Amino acid sequence: MIKLLVYRTAPLALRPLAILMEGMLPQKPTLLALSLPIAMMALMLSSVPVHLAYYKARKNESCFGTLASQYRSGLGWLFLISVSTLLVVLFSPLFESTAALSVIVCLTFIIEKFSDESSRALEFRKNYLGWFLVQILRSGWVFIPLIIALWGGGYKNAYLVSVLLAATLSLFIFFRITGLLPSLGLSGLPVIKNNVVYFFGGFLPASYRQIPRIVIVKVYHEQAHAFLALAQLAQGLSVLFNVRFQIPYRKIIARKPMLFQKLMEPAMKQVLIVASTIALGYVAYPMYIEVSGMRLYLQMTFFLPIVVADAMVFAVLSSYLGYVQWLFQPKKASCFYLMAALLAVLIVSMLLAVKYQEIVNLSGIPIVTIGIGLIWLFMLKKRFFV
């Protein structure tokens, strides 16, 4: 268990360090801070499980070749749709992205997608050392342009070259591990269609985690690196949550998931009570304090409690959302996803109408996400877990 925990958490320390290093560069560039959450959101939305049948089959079965073709085709279509959507969003008037940033985001998505698929294959084979090395590459390549920039080189050009090389290497590693390359055959389309509920299921956690980070970089430029470094580090709480409450009980979860959820509910309530108390403490006064003039370490100290609270709510929320797409009818689950998304849009629209972002400091953003997450959890329990 300790070895697995080290493998899971050690790579998480690389990205916070890289984000802090980028924040220390002159003019505080945001290539990493902005491209990473956009690419990660695209990754979560593209995580339709087209691999399940292929991994369950054995090589000596007659259908193995057909399932491999379906996996390749499904992966190819997901890749094409995701990159096309990214380009449309990035060049829309809402985002107004530069060509360089658009290329960086798309290549970062390629790194994330193929690293994710390689990691899944290695985890299925229980090759945890290989999984760990892929994660090191996935998070570690960003230090190349950062080191070049610290030595006086051009950060943007170094970043473009590094992200291109890392994307190429990620594709090569995926081919070496699986022996497959994405294609655009028709066989993968039915697999995507049959599992499209996972796209909607991925939208809520992707929105909860990544959209606030994109907004933070756009609106709170001076505070963004300190907050995002903490947010990346706090993702380790989700890993700890899974190691403590999910991984050791996989057999029980698979056989009697509703009973397991009922047994774990008291512990999850305690987590939510702590997170809610922290959020209410910030609402009382701290979220109105001027933070942008603080030194980096003071900003991180100020944001740490609310970042931890946000990560705690997300850990519980993602656990419950995992049950929905697994246990309940796709139509019923999709209706819930739509209602939850519309509610979040309504809340955010009301806050924008009163110019909420001008009233509060950056901590007001995770307070909103915590509130939305708690509402989603209330809706989940009333609709599915009565």
Side-chain angles (χ1 to χ4, degrees), residues 55 71-72 75 113-119 121 169-182:
Y55 283 156
Y71 176 37
R72 293 175 59 229
L75 191 59
K113 184 62 178 174
F114 287 114
S115 297
D116 192 58
E117 295 294 330
S118 299
S119 300
L169 183 58
S170 298
L171 178 59
F172 175 75
I173 291 173
F174 172 74
F175 175 72
R176 290 287 297 174
I177 292 172
T178 64
L180 303 174
L181 285 174

mmCIF file of all heavy atoms in Angstrom, residues 55 71-72 75 113-119 121 169-182:
data_model
loop_
_atom_site.group_PDB
_atom_site.id
_atom_site.type_symbol
_atom_site.label_atom_id
_atom_site.label_comp_id
_atom_site.label_asym_id
_atom_site.label_seq_id
_atom_site.Cartn_x
_atom_site.Cartn_y
_atom_site.Cartn_z
ATOM 1 N N TYR A 55 -9.367 -4.637 -23.323
ATOM 2 C CA TYR A 55 -8.556 -5.059 -22.199
ATOM 3 C C TYR A 55 -9.079 -6.347 -21.550
ATOM 4 O O TYR A 55 -8.308 -7.126 -20.991
ATOM 5 C CB TYR A 55 -8.481 -3.946 -21.149
ATOM 6 C CG TYR A 55 -7.533 -2.830 -21.514
ATOM 7 C CD1 TYR A 55 -7.692 -1.559 -20.983
ATOM 8 C CD2 TYR A 55 -6.480 -3.045 -22.388
ATOM 9 C CE1 TYR A 55 -6.827 -0.523 -21.316
ATOM 10 C CE2 TYR A 55 -5.615 -2.027 -22.727
ATOM 11 C CZ TYR A 55 -5.789 -0.771 -22.192
ATOM 12 O OH TYR A 55 -4.930 0.240 -22.512
ATOM 13 N N TYR A 71 -10.977 -0.336 -30.547
ATOM 14 C CA TYR A 71 -10.258 0.531 -29.619
ATOM 15 C C TYR A 71 -9.477 1.600 -30.373
ATOM 16 O O TYR A 71 -9.542 2.790 -30.053
ATOM 17 C CB TYR A 71 -9.332 -0.319 -28.748
ATOM 18 C CG TYR A 71 -8.459 0.455 -27.792
ATOM 19 C CD1 TYR A 71 -8.937 1.592 -27.150
ATOM 20 C CD2 TYR A 71 -7.158 0.046 -27.526
ATOM 21 C CE1 TYR A 71 -8.135 2.296 -26.263
ATOM 22 C CE2 TYR A 71 -6.349 0.740 -26.642
ATOM 23 C CZ TYR A 71 -6.844 1.871 -26.023
ATOM 24 O OH TYR A 71 -6.046 2.567 -25.156
ATOM 25 N N ARG A 72 -8.730 1.182 -31.407
ATOM 26 C CA ARG A 72 -7.956 2.135 -32.208
ATOM 27 C C ARG A 72 -8.862 3.171 -32.854
ATOM 28 O O ARG A 72 -8.575 4.374 -32.854
ATOM 29 C CB ARG A 72 -7.170 1.394 -33.289
ATOM 30 C CG ARG A 72 -6.057 0.490 -32.777
ATOM 31 C CD ARG A 72 -5.410 -0.293 -33.917
ATOM 32 N NE ARG A 72 -4.848 0.620 -34.906
ATOM 33 C CZ ARG A 72 -5.055 0.520 -36.215
ATOM 34 N NH1 ARG A 72 -5.835 -0.441 -36.693
ATOM 35 N NH2 ARG A 72 -4.491 1.377 -37.045
ATOM 36 N N LEU A 75 -10.429 5.539 -30.233
ATOM 37 C CA LEU A 75 -9.423 6.476 -29.756
ATOM 38 C C LEU A 75 -9.138 7.553 -30.806
ATOM 39 O O LEU A 75 -8.998 8.742 -30.480
ATOM 40 C CB LEU A 75 -8.135 5.714 -29.418
ATOM 41 C CG LEU A 75 -7.052 6.465 -28.659
ATOM 42 C CD1 LEU A 75 -7.576 6.971 -27.333
ATOM 43 C CD2 LEU A 75 -5.836 5.566 -28.455
ATOM 44 N N LYS A 113 -3.474 12.821 -23.203
ATOM 45 C CA LYS A 113 -4.321 11.716 -23.671
ATOM 46 C C LYS A 113 -3.538 10.425 -23.834
ATOM 47 O O LYS A 113 -3.943 9.373 -23.329
ATOM 48 C CB LYS A 113 -4.982 12.105 -25.002
ATOM 49 C CG LYS A 113 -5.965 11.059 -25.532
ATOM 50 C CD LYS A 113 -7.119 10.848 -24.577
ATOM 51 C CE LYS A 113 -8.131 9.853 -25.119
ATOM 52 N NZ LYS A 113 -9.173 9.541 -24.112
ATOM 53 N N PHE A 114 -2.400 10.500 -24.529
ATOM 54 C CA PHE A 114 -1.640 9.272 -24.762
ATOM 55 C C PHE A 114 -0.933 8.794 -23.498
ATOM 56 O O PHE A 114 -0.750 7.587 -23.309
ATOM 57 C CB PHE A 114 -0.663 9.457 -25.922
ATOM 58 C CG PHE A 114 -1.326 9.492 -27.263
ATOM 59 C CD1 PHE A 114 -1.319 10.622 -28.036
ATOM 60 C CD2 PHE A 114 -2.004 8.379 -27.730
ATOM 61 C CE1 PHE A 114 -1.953 10.659 -29.265
ATOM 62 C CE2 PHE A 114 -2.650 8.398 -28.958
ATOM 63 C CZ PHE A 114 -2.626 9.540 -29.727
ATOM 64 N N SER A 115 -0.538 9.719 -22.628
ATOM 65 C CA SER A 115 0.025 9.298 -21.335
ATOM 66 C C SER A 115 -1.040 8.602 -20.498
ATOM 67 O O SER A 115 -0.756 7.610 -19.815
ATOM 68 C CB SER A 115 0.578 10.508 -20.584
ATOM 69 O OG SER A 115 1.640 11.101 -21.279
ATOM 70 N N ASP A 116 -2.263 9.113 -20.563
ATOM 71 C CA ASP A 116 -3.365 8.509 -19.817
ATOM 72 C C ASP A 116 -3.656 7.097 -20.327
ATOM 73 O O ASP A 116 -3.855 6.166 -19.538
ATOM 74 C CB ASP A 116 -4.607 9.392 -19.951
ATOM 75 C CG ASP A 116 -5.715 8.997 -18.991
ATOM 76 O OD1 ASP A 116 -5.467 8.988 -17.772
ATOM 77 O OD2 ASP A 116 -6.827 8.692 -19.455
ATOM 78 N N GLU A 117 -3.672 6.940 -21.653
ATOM 79 C CA GLU A 117 -3.932 5.615 -22.227
ATOM 80 C C GLU A 117 -2.790 4.646 -21.919
ATOM 81 O O GLU A 117 -3.028 3.475 -21.606
ATOM 82 C CB GLU A 117 -4.122 5.739 -23.742
ATOM 83 C CG GLU A 117 -5.340 6.534 -24.170
ATOM 84 C CD GLU A 117 -6.650 5.861 -23.785
ATOM 85 O OE1 GLU A 117 -6.693 4.624 -23.720
ATOM 86 O OE2 GLU A 117 -7.639 6.583 -23.550
ATOM 87 N N SER A 118 -1.552 5.120 -21.997
ATOM 88 C CA SER A 118 -0.409 4.269 -21.653
ATOM 89 C C SER A 118 -0.450 3.863 -20.189
ATOM 90 O O SER A 118 -0.198 2.702 -19.839
ATOM 91 C CB SER A 118 0.906 5.005 -21.955
ATOM 92 O OG SER A 118 1.016 5.326 -23.321
ATOM 93 N N SER A 119 -0.782 4.820 -19.317
ATOM 94 C CA SER A 119 -0.861 4.529 -17.886
ATOM 95 C C SER A 119 -1.940 3.504 -17.595
ATOM 96 O O SER A 119 -1.769 2.615 -16.751
ATOM 97 C CB SER A 119 -1.146 5.826 -17.111
ATOM 98 O OG SER A 119 -0.132 6.764 -17.324
ATOM 99 N N ALA A 121 -3.019 1.131 -19.610
ATOM 100 C CA ALA A 121 -2.545 -0.182 -20.039
ATOM 101 C C ALA A 121 -1.548 -0.760 -19.045
ATOM 102 O O ALA A 121 -1.603 -1.958 -18.701
ATOM 103 C CB ALA A 121 -1.912 -0.074 -21.425
ATOM 104 N N LEU A 169 6.988 11.940 -28.249
ATOM 105 C CA LEU A 169 7.463 10.853 -27.388
ATOM 106 C C LEU A 169 6.299 10.131 -26.716
ATOM 107 O O LEU A 169 6.327 8.896 -26.575
ATOM 108 C CB LEU A 169 8.410 11.427 -26.334
ATOM 109 C CG LEU A 169 9.075 10.420 -25.382
ATOM 110 C CD1 LEU A 169 9.862 9.386 -26.164
ATOM 111 C CD2 LEU A 169 9.980 11.145 -24.386
ATOM 112 N N SER A 170 5.264 10.847 -26.326
ATOM 113 C CA SER A 170 4.096 10.216 -25.694
ATOM 114 C C SER A 170 3.396 9.263 -26.660
ATOM 115 O O SER A 170 2.976 8.171 -26.265
ATOM 116 C CB SER A 170 3.118 11.292 -25.219
ATOM 117 O OG SER A 170 3.703 12.114 -24.247
ATOM 118 N N LEU A 171 3.273 9.685 -27.916
ATOM 119 C CA LEU A 171 2.662 8.809 -28.923
ATOM 120 C C LEU A 171 3.519 7.568 -29.153
ATOM 121 O O LEU A 171 3.002 6.454 -29.266
ATOM 122 C CB LEU A 171 2.479 9.580 -30.230
ATOM 123 C CG LEU A 171 1.905 8.799 -31.416
ATOM 124 C CD1 LEU A 171 0.530 8.230 -31.076
ATOM 125 C CD2 LEU A 171 1.820 9.685 -32.650
ATOM 126 N N PHE A 172 4.843 7.747 -29.200
ATOM 127 C CA PHE A 172 5.746 6.613 -29.399
ATOM 128 C C PHE A 172 5.657 5.631 -28.238
ATOM 129 O O PHE A 172 5.618 4.403 -28.441
ATOM 130 C CB PHE A 172 7.183 7.120 -29.563
ATOM 131 C CG PHE A 172 8.209 6.022 -29.652
ATOM 132 C CD1 PHE A 172 8.335 5.271 -30.807
ATOM 133 C CD2 PHE A 172 9.030 5.728 -28.567
ATOM 134 C CE1 PHE A 172 9.279 4.245 -30.888
ATOM 135 C CE2 PHE A 172 9.966 4.714 -28.638
ATOM 136 C CZ PHE A 172 10.089 3.965 -29.797
ATOM 137 N N ILE A 173 5.619 6.143 -27.012
ATOM 138 C CA ILE A 173 5.519 5.274 -25.833
ATOM 139 C C ILE A 173 4.204 4.502 -25.847
ATOM 140 O O ILE A 173 4.167 3.303 -25.531
ATOM 141 C CB ILE A 173 5.653 6.112 -24.547
ATOM 142 C CG1 ILE A 173 7.084 6.633 -24.410
ATOM 143 C CG2 ILE A 173 5.260 5.293 -23.316
ATOM 144 C CD1 ILE A 173 7.279 7.602 -23.267
ATOM 145 N N PHE A 174 3.119 5.167 -26.215
ATOM 146 C CA PHE A 174 1.836 4.476 -26.306
ATOM 147 C C PHE A 174 1.905 3.321 -27.307
ATOM 148 O O PHE A 174 1.404 2.219 -27.035
ATOM 149 C CB PHE A 174 0.743 5.464 -26.728
ATOM 150 C CG PHE A 174 -0.579 4.833 -27.036
ATOM 151 C CD1 PHE A 174 -1.396 4.359 -26.021
ATOM 152 C CD2 PHE A 174 -1.006 4.685 -28.349
ATOM 153 C CE1 PHE A 174 -2.613 3.752 -26.309
ATOM 154 C CE2 PHE A 174 -2.223 4.082 -28.646
ATOM 155 C CZ PHE A 174 -3.020 3.620 -27.623
ATOM 156 N N PHE A 175 2.553 3.555 -28.448
ATOM 157 C CA PHE A 175 2.690 2.496 -29.460
ATOM 158 C C PHE A 175 3.555 1.354 -28.932
ATOM 159 O O PHE A 175 3.240 0.173 -29.154
ATOM 160 C CB PHE A 175 3.291 3.077 -30.740
ATOM 161 C CG PHE A 175 3.579 2.049 -31.788
ATOM 162 C CD1 PHE A 175 2.544 1.440 -32.490
ATOM 163 C CD2 PHE A 175 4.884 1.668 -32.061
ATOM 164 C CE1 PHE A 175 2.809 0.474 -33.449
ATOM 165 C CE2 PHE A 175 5.160 0.703 -33.020
ATOM 166 C CZ PHE A 175 4.119 0.106 -33.722
ATOM 167 N N ARG A 176 4.625 1.680 -28.224
ATOM 168 C CA ARG A 176 5.502 0.634 -27.691
ATOM 169 C C ARG A 176 4.797 -0.207 -26.633
ATOM 170 O O ARG A 176 5.017 -1.419 -26.540
ATOM 171 C CB ARG A 176 6.752 1.287 -27.071
ATOM 172 C CG ARG A 176 7.692 1.895 -28.081
ATOM 173 C CD ARG A 176 8.458 0.856 -28.856
ATOM 174 N NE ARG A 176 9.331 0.052 -27.996
ATOM 175 C CZ ARG A 176 10.032 -0.998 -28.410
ATOM 176 N NH1 ARG A 176 9.954 -1.391 -29.669
ATOM 177 N NH2 ARG A 176 10.801 -1.667 -27.579
ATOM 178 N N ILE A 177 3.946 0.407 -25.838
ATOM 179 C CA ILE A 177 3.265 -0.316 -24.765
ATOM 180 C C ILE A 177 2.108 -1.166 -25.303
ATOM 181 O O ILE A 177 1.933 -2.318 -24.908
ATOM 182 C CB ILE A 177 2.752 0.669 -23.701
ATOM 183 C CG1 ILE A 177 3.932 1.296 -22.963
ATOM 184 C CG2 ILE A 177 1.817 -0.020 -22.701
ATOM 185 C CD1 ILE A 177 3.550 2.417 -22.026
ATOM 186 N N THR A 178 1.318 -0.596 -26.198
ATOM 187 C CA THR A 178 0.102 -1.267 -26.661
ATOM 188 C C THR A 178 0.237 -1.926 -28.028
ATOM 189 O O THR A 178 -0.543 -2.820 -28.371
ATOM 190 C CB THR A 178 -1.065 -0.266 -26.731
ATOM 191 O OG1 THR A 178 -0.779 0.742 -27.717
ATOM 192 C CG2 THR A 178 -1.278 0.405 -25.376
ATOM 193 N N GLY A 179 1.198 -1.476 -28.833
ATOM 194 C CA GLY A 179 1.313 -1.972 -30.202
ATOM 195 C C GLY A 179 0.241 -1.427 -31.120
ATOM 196 O O GLY A 179 0.048 -1.947 -32.224
ATOM 197 N N LEU A 180 -0.462 -0.383 -30.698
ATOM 198 C CA LEU A 180 -1.576 0.174 -31.458
ATOM 199 C C LEU A 180 -1.340 1.649 -31.752
ATOM 200 O O LEU A 180 -0.634 2.327 -31.023
ATOM 201 C CB LEU A 180 -2.892 0.024 -30.682
ATOM 202 C CG LEU A 180 -3.298 -1.379 -30.254
ATOM 203 C CD1 LEU A 180 -4.538 -1.318 -29.373
ATOM 204 C CD2 LEU A 180 -3.556 -2.262 -31.472
ATOM 205 N N LEU A 181 -1.964 2.119 -32.830
ATOM 206 C CA LEU A 181 -2.000 3.529 -33.148
ATOM 207 C C LEU A 181 -3.439 3.918 -33.467
ATOM 208 O O LEU A 181 -4.193 3.103 -34.013
ATOM 209 C CB LEU A 181 -1.100 3.849 -34.352
ATOM 210 C CG LEU A 181 0.413 3.868 -34.085
ATOM 211 C CD1 LEU A 181 1.166 4.064 -35.400
ATOM 212 C CD2 LEU A 181 0.784 4.978 -33.101
ATOM 213 N N PRO A 182 -3.861 5.129 -33.142
ATOM 214 C CA PRO A 182 -5.244 5.547 -33.426
ATOM 215 C C PRO A 182 -5.538 5.514 -34.924
ATOM 216 O O PRO A 182 -4.654 5.740 -35.755
ATOM 217 C CB PRO A 182 -5.287 6.989 -32.890
ATOM 218 C CG PRO A 182 -4.151 7.089 -31.950
ATOM 219 C CD PRO A 182 -3.094 6.171 -32.449
#
